[in-house]
Amino acid sequence: MQMKTECRRCLLEELSREAFQNIYRYIESIPTEQRVPEPVYRQRLALCKGCSNLLNGMCSLCGCFVEVRAAKRLGACPNIPKRWDRYQPPETL
């Protein structure tokens, strides 16, 4: 019997996008003005993938799904020092 190993530093989309359809539907339902642009979202996820606190698509510091937090304009990295500070989108006027 082959056992699956725990996936450290994996995003939900790498684990099983089908299994987490509701999470992705939620992200898509976030109003545009409350979401970050796609390049910022992807940069945030890349930074999360390099973090030792990522475990199975969740942040072990706060328990969030990192893909949801990364999509939100007001989302912030809970790590100290914060990983996303340089990638905050400009405020909309």
Side-chain angles (χ1 to χ4, degrees):
M1 183 169 121
Q2 185 176 2
M3 294 182 65
K4 279 189 145 183
T5 59
E6 184 176 84
C7 182
R8 295 205 54 86
R9 298 190 185 153
C10 285
L11 299 171
L12 297 177
E13 67 184 6
E14 296 166 324
L15 295 171
S16 171
R17 190 167 180 101
E18 293 79 32
F20 299 101
Q21 286 180 14
N22 289 339
I23 300 292
Y24 289 101
R25 276 192 226 123
Y26 173 74
I27 291 169
E28 291 169 6
S29 76
I30 298 170
T32 304
E33 64 275 3
Q34 294 176 18
R35 271 188 287 165
V36 295
E38 186 68 18
V40 174
Y41 176 67
R42 289 288 156 201
Q43 182 61 46
R44 286 179 172 186
L45 293 180
L47 290 167
C48 287
K49 283 196 54 83
C51 180
S52 62
N53 295 306
L54 178 63
L55 178 61
N56 295 323
M58 296 179 73
C59 174
S60 64
L61 293 175
C62 68
C64 76
F65 288 109
V66 297
E67 285 153 296
V68 172
R69 184 179 287 246
K72 293 181 177 182
R73 187 172 290 277
L74 296 178
C77 173
N79 202 11
I80 297 176
K82 297 185 181 313
R83 294 178 168 267
W84 298 351
D85 283 352
R86 295 183 308 163
Y87 301 99
Q88 293 298 328
E91 293 299 318
T92 55
L93 301 174

